[in-house]
Amino acid sequence: MSKNKINVAIVGATGVVGQEMAKILEERNFPVNSLKLLASKSSAGKKATFKNEELTIEELTANSFDNVDIALFSAGASVSSEYGPIAANKGVIVIDNSSAFRMDNNVPLVVPEVNPDLIHRAIKTGKGCIIANPNCSTIQLVVVLKPILENYGIKRVVISTYQAVSGAGKEGLDELQTQTQKTIDKEAITPKKFTHQIAFNCIPHCDTFLENDYTKEEMKLVNESRKILNFPELKITATAIRVPVFNSHSESVNIETEKAINISELKNILQNFEGLQVQDDPKSNIYPMAIHTANKDDVYVGRIRRDESIKNGINLWIVADNLRKGAALNAVQIAELSIK
Ligand SMILES: NC(=O)c1ccc[n+]([C@@H]2O[C@H](COP(=O)([O-])OP(=O)(O)OC[C@H]3O[C@@H](n4cnc5c(N)ncnc54)[C@H](OP(=O)(O)O)[C@@H]3O)[C@@H](O)[C@H]2O)c1
């Protein structure tokens, strides 16, 4: 692999994350030599454009990874479980967006602003490897937790998420669009992607329920945050809600810290952390909102205020584009660091 000429494959290239990956590779001028767009058999032959060049979508097979240096996977956990190791064994650096390998002790789970060192430890010259991209709601959370942990220590985190339908892929987007129109037209609605009507509703249910009555999405927030922050005993609890927003996840977060926090000092620390933007001027009604963060790269934080019910605690509101920082951008940032 030459640093200046990378052969890249996107697995799941027709999905909402896969399309965003191609867009971001182009925007950031990633040194792509060739780009292979892979999806299921049903998409084979469809066309897509990359840097003004028309490319043909190919069906994913075990032979798809010949002459590929880096493969960005975004086609779900079962596809990653099957084809990720095949690609890695062929010497490919696999950057995987699914949950398949995130909690595997041998696979680094990386957010470049938080634990970039793990990338270089995973890469051995001439050999393939798998690097996992965390879940979208976890990425935006840990970018804020990291500087708070370093400066004040963390005793406990309580998070509630307000997650966009694009987090459930292209079918999630279609469902909100269709149901919104049907509700306005007073037509009957039959939910397909989500368990209940999502238009004009909030559903306290993202992904499937587990034995402990939490959802998988909630436990991803708990377990992945502990792994990325290298803080296995972190006390953290989560409630994940699907909301009728097309793009960008929002999160209400309560943090109890070890040390007392000076709010203006904290705002400075957050503003100076890579990838974070503080948007917090309540008097002027300024705070992060999903409608403003879609298509943006940074994680936005606002409504920063003391939790007056405990000695050392704060409340804040975190918003980021789940398709970009929550998925495709984070993966491309890992790819950038892996070729440095
Ligand atoms: N959406 C988010 O915000 C987000 C955030 C973080 C992580 N992720 C993860 O990223 C992955 C993709 O999510 P998405 O939201 O982009 O989903 P999506 O819009 O539904 O796209 C799924 C993609 O996977 C492809 N695919 C499905 N089955 C396949 C197979 N057997 N072989 C090859 N390709 C196959 C689809 O191809 P066809 O079009 O041919 O069916 C499509 O390109 C998931 O693992 C998801 O958990 C998503």
Side-chain angles (χ1 to χ4, degrees), residues 2-228:
S2 146
K3 273 186 188 182
N4 304 320
K5 289 183 167 193
I6 313 291
N7 297 322
V8 181
I10 298 177
V11 179
T14 52
V16 289
V17 174
Q19 289 180 56
E20 202 69 26
M21 284 169 162
K23 202 167 113 189
I24 292 172
L25 287 171
E26 185 168 341
E27 277 172 20
R28 293 171 75 96
N29 214 10
F30 189 85
V32 175
N33 182 49
S34 70
L35 180 64
K36 212 177 236 194
L37 299 179
L38 302 162
S40 75
K41 195 174 181 175
S42 64
S43 298
K46 286 185 184 165
K47 304 289 179 195
T49 307
F50 180 73
K51 290 194 173 175
N52 295 323
E53 198 187 321
E54 190 179 70
L55 300 179
T56 304
I57 311 281
E58 297 172 40
E59 180 188 356
L60 171 67
T61 70
N63 296 323
S64 299
F65 301 100
D66 296 342
N67 300 317
V68 169
D69 300 310
I70 295 183
L72 306 174
F73 272 66
S74 65
S78 60
V79 171
S80 293
S81 300
E82 184 176 351
Y83 291 95
I86 292 175
N89 285 333
K90 289 191 174 189
V92 177
I93 297 172
V94 171
I95 302 169
D96 183 38
N97 255 283
S98 81
S99 58
F101 305 103
R102 288 181 191 147
M103 296 313 296
D104 183 329
N105 285 335
N106 298 315
V107 173
L109 183 61
V110 177
V111 177
E113 294 82 352
V114 178
N115 57 354
D117 298 354
L118 298 191
I119 298 173
H120 289 210
R121 273 189 246 162
I123 293 172
K124 312 258 180 306
T125 313
K127 290 204 173 158
C129 66
I130 299 177
I131 299 172
N133 215 42
N135 192 37
C136 40
S137 49
T138 307
I139 293 178
Q140 65 187 74
L141 175 67
V142 295
V143 173
V144 175
L145 290 186
K146 172 77 173 179
I148 294 176
L149 179 63
E150 277 179 346
N151 287 279
Y152 303 101
I154 292 180
K155 274 194 176 171
R156 182 168 186 251
V157 179
V158 181
I159 170 164
S160 295
T161 68
Y162 302 68
Q163 298 189 208
V165 293
S166 60
K170 53 190 173 187
E171 290 173 7
L173 285 167
D174 290 347
E175 188 133 318
L176 177 58
Q177 175 98 32
T178 311
Q179 289 186 358
T180 302
Q181 194 57 54
K182 284 194 170 182
T183 308
I184 290 164
D185 295 342
K186 297 194 168 41
E187 286 177 27
I189 284 171
T190 313
K192 284 192 212 131
K193 182 67 183 171
F194 302 112
T195 45
H196 298 274
Q197 174 181 326
I198 184 63
F200 307 97
N201 193 21
C202 299
I203 307 175
H205 179 177
C206 299
D207 210 329
T208 50
F209 278 101
L210 299 168
E211 289 233 318
N212 63 359
D213 291 340
Y214 282 78
T215 60
K216 269 193 188 169
E217 186 78 12
E218 289 160 351
M219 293 314 295
K220 282 176 195 170
L221 273 157
V222 170
N223 296 323
E224 293 179 19
S225 298
R226 287 175 174 158
K227 180 169 173 176
I228 299 161

Side-chain angles (χ1 to χ4, degrees), residues 323-340:
L323 299 180
R324 288 181 77 90
K325 187 56 193 162
L329 172 66
N330 200 72
V332 173
Q333 286 175 313
I334 293 172
E336 287 170 347
L337 290 176
S338 72
I339 60 166
K340 266 194 177 165

